[in-house]
Amino acid sequence: MKTILYKAETRGHAQHGWLNAHHTFSFANYYDPERIHFGALRVLNDDVIDGGKGFGTHPHDNMEIITIPLTGSLRHEDSMGNGGVIESGDIQVMTAGTGIQHSEFNAQKDKPVNLFQIWVFPNKKNVTPRYEQKTLDFLNHKNSFQLVVSPTPTEQGLWIHQDAWFSIGSFDKGVIEKYELKSKSNGVFAMVIQGSFNVSGTVLDNRDGLGIWDTESLTIESLSDDARILLMEVPMEF
């Protein structure tokens, strides 16, 4: 088993007034040649956007973009004619493919929105852009992992153009779960949303990240009540 630890306080940080952003991997003005990506996982941004503020219309192409609101509401509009609000408990995927324009704004005027935006390199280029969102029933998945992203449209959660599986779990203190990787050539990037965990021997606190590869399984132990963690299994070579 090989691991790489990304403590929360070592992330890149940008304070733009209306936007407080933390970058696990190099992004925008934050650049670290040792922190470009983890396998097919390219971007893991932890953004807090002030009420009524957001990102104006901007382009993307050839990237799978996953947005997970943690608290608050985010309004989305794009060049495919999609528009709507995603809330905490929802998840959104966008295949940029041949090219797409979109905007993202805090849907509330008086409360911040906190979200993870995640970019994954696709396994197919120049595909037709697509958009999808879904509300997930996390309340009925306490103390177990819920699949939220996969390569297969028929599975629960949403699908993307990559052999990647994302799972979110909320756990009481002392619960131990085993996670089996789908492929020996994959790795898992674990990101703590809140609380503390022991992931295969490494203790992680709030917003710490751990990349793990060359293993067939992980052991995840919750060290606090109401602890939440996101597991992102991706190909290490693509």
Side-chain angles (χ1 to χ4, degrees):
M1 177 187 293
K2 296 178 182 177
T3 64
I4 183 167
L5 177 62
Y6 297 83
K7 296 295 289 182
E9 62 270 18
T10 69
R11 296 179 296 171
H13 181 227
Q15 176 58 259
H16 298 289
W18 60 272
L19 171 67
N20 186 12
H22 288 87
H23 312 302
T24 298
F25 303 106
S26 294
F27 186 85
N29 292 329
Y30 167 62
Y31 176 73
D32 182 339
E34 300 299 318
R35 296 174 70 153
I36 302 296
H37 63 98
F38 176 81
L41 177 61
R42 171 62 188 90
V43 167
L44 175 51
N45 288 347
D46 180 3
D47 292 341
V48 178
I49 303 171
D50 284 350
K53 304 295 184 180
F55 301 96
T57 302
H58 57 282
H60 294 285
D61 64 62
N62 288 316
M63 194 67 70
E64 301 293 308
I65 300 171
I66 301 101
T67 302
I68 305 174
L70 304 174
T71 59
S73 307
L74 189 73
R75 181 174 297 281
H76 168 95
E77 293 185 0
D78 65 41
S79 54
M80 294 181 289
N82 298 300
V85 175
I86 54 173
E87 313 270 357
S88 175
D90 296 343
I91 187 167
Q92 174 198 90
V93 298
M94 189 172 66
T95 293
T98 54
I100 191 172
Q101 302 255 351
H102 81 136
S103 63
E104 299 162 294
F105 281 86
N106 187 337
Q108 296 177 301
K109 299 295 184 182
D110 57 346
K111 296 179 182 178
V113 57
N114 181 204
L115 60 98
F116 284 165
Q117 185 163 102
I118 302 159
W119 296 6
V120 175
F121 290 115
N123 56 17
K124 297 178 182 177
K125 285 196 169 186
N126 298 320
V127 298
T128 301
R130 57 179 286 272
Y131 171 91
E132 189 177 6
Q133 71 179 65
K134 190 171 185 178
T135 299
L136 301 169
D137 186 9
F138 291 113
L139 293 178
N140 290 325
H141 285 80
K142 190 71 179 287
N143 294 322
S144 64
F145 280 106
Q146 181 176 9
L147 183 68
V148 297
V149 171
S150 76
T152 308
T154 56
E155 291 190 280
Q156 62 173 293
L158 303 177
W159 70 276
I160 61 173
H161 292 279
Q162 185 52 273
D163 293 324
W165 291 262
F166 287 17
S167 301
I168 294 177
S170 299
F171 299 95
D172 295 322
K173 185 177 181 180
V175 174
I176 299 174
E177 279 284 299
K178 189 174 184 181
Y179 179 87
E180 303 278 353
L181 276 72
K182 306 297 188 296
S183 170
K184 292 181 180 180
S185 61
N186 287 351
V188 173
F189 196 90
M191 182 70 170
V192 177
I193 299 172
Q194 66 184 36
S196 300
F197 288 88
N198 184 322
V199 179
S200 293
T202 300
V203 174
L204 303 177
D205 296 314
N206 187 50
R207 297 305 206 266
D208 288 349
L210 180 71
I212 306 171
W213 68 105
D214 283 356
T215 187
E216 296 181 358
S217 65
L218 311 177
T219 301
I220 297 101
E221 178 184 2
S222 175
L223 303 179
S224 60
D225 283 323
D226 296 321
R228 296 182 70 200
I229 192 168
L230 169 63
L231 303 183
M232 294 163 278
E233 179 177 346
V234 295
M236 295 305 291
E237 295 187 5
F238 55 95

